[in-house]
Amino acid sequence: VGINTAIYSRSGGSIGIGFAIPSNIVRAVVDAAKRGSDFFERPYIGATFDVVTPQIAEALGLERPSGALVTEVNPDGPSAKAGLAPGDVVLALNNSAIEHVDALGYRLSTHSIDTTVQLTVLSAGAEKQVEIGLVRAPEGAGLIEATIRGRSPFAGARVAELSPRMAQRMGLNADTKGVAIVDIDGGSPAAGFGLKPSDLVREINGDEIDSVETLKQAAEQNTRSWRFTIEREGRLLRQALRY
């Protein structure tokens, strides 16, 4: 069941092509609003997943590529507590088959925080049932942020170290790690060079950026030659310039 949001039309009349939001997504958004959240909070389970390729399916003894491959588990998250481990494959959620990794993300997002889901998991060649509690993405130890000053392509950008909750608020995967641009002063060098909020700063002049402090140090270099790598929407963008 869906809630209609738009139709495709060249004349104003319907030609039979419409767009809708699934009602269970609407329910999840309403539940988040009732909890007082100012954005749609996806449940957090502390694990990342990837596609099951034909090669992986063959190696695991699956009849065909399906499910979601566990690639990383946060040792302090609900998945670790439930016994999920890298290399496991999630085959179903509450007895509904998971055909693709994207289906797992969608099905999790339709469940409310503070509820429990049951996963059917292929682990070490055998299927097992795992119950995982869905929680809010953690805020982390504390917000670490700074505004970059001086003369660099990053001057005027406010940056912060990502926590799962901040990553989710910025529309990123909750387990994304690194330093993100959270705001940019209008008219600043950062704005002029096309940097955007939600960009992840990965490297500056050969230095890996893993904290606000390393970004500040790299951005304060006394140089006019800059090489840096930005991750935007899953793509790495590399720039080289003189400024």
Side-chain angles (χ1 to χ4, degrees):
V1 177
I3 297 177
N4 290 336
T5 58
I7 63 170
Y8 175 76
S9 174
R10 293 183 177 180
S11 63
S14 174
I15 60 174
I17 301 176
F19 303 88
I21 300 173
S23 58
N24 47 10
I25 286 289
V26 175
R27 183 188 65 241
V29 172
V30 171
D31 288 344
K34 287 181 177 179
R35 290 193 303 270
S37 175
D38 58 355
F39 70 103
F40 176 40
E41 295 181 272
R42 295 178 181 272
Y44 177 79
I45 65 171
T48 57
F49 303 88
D50 205 347
V51 176
V52 176
T53 65
Q55 294 79 9
I56 292 174
E58 182 179 2
L60 295 175
L62 294 171
E63 293 183 359
R64 59 187 179 85
S66 63
L69 177 69
V70 181
T71 56
E72 187 176 355
V73 175
N74 185 326
D76 300 318
S79 291
K81 295 176 182 177
L84 210 62
D88 290 349
V89 176
V90 177
L91 302 175
L93 187 152
N94 289 349
N95 296 319
S96 294
I98 299 298
E99 297 292 340
H100 189 271
V101 62
D102 293 340
L104 177 60
Y106 168 74
R107 292 191 182 278
L108 284 172
S109 69
T110 64
H111 288 76
S112 299
I113 292 170
D114 296 329
T115 60
T116 300
V117 296
Q118 184 180 75
L119 302 182
T120 302
V121 178
L122 178 66
S123 180
E127 288 190 16
K128 65 178 183 179
Q129 302 298 318
V130 174
E131 287 195 350
I132 297 183
L134 307 182
V135 301
R136 299 179 74 183
E139 196 66 84
L143 181 62
I144 302 175
E145 66 175 10
T147 298
I148 306 302
R149 304 297 183 188
R151 181 181 175 82
S152 82
F154 296 89
R158 182 160 60 89
V159 299
E161 293 179 25
L162 288 175
S163 67
R165 186 165 171 78
M166 174 177 283
Q168 192 180 80
R169 183 183 290 271
M170 296 177 68
L172 304 170
N173 186 295
D175 289 288
T176 303
K177 297 179 177 63
V179 180
I181 296 175
V182 296
D183 196 14
I184 294 179
D185 294 337
S188 68
F193 283 111
L195 300 179
K196 299 179 180 180
S198 297
D199 283 350
L200 304 176
V201 185
R202 294 306 190 190
E203 179 264 341
I204 299 177
N205 285 353
D207 295 327
E208 180 182 352
I209 304 303
D210 57 5
S211 70
V212 166
E213 187 58 32
T214 57
L215 196 157
K216 287 178 61 180
Q217 292 175 359
E220 291 170 359
Q221 297 178 58
N222 185 21
T223 181
R224 297 182 63 85
S225 298
W226 296 93
R227 292 177 294 104
F228 54 89
T229 302
I230 298 294
E231 182 177 341
R232 179 181 296 167
E233 297 179 353
R235 296 180 298 131
L236 293 179
L237 307 177
R238 295 179 172 86
Q239 296 287 336
L241 53 90
R242 289 186 59 84
Y243 171 63

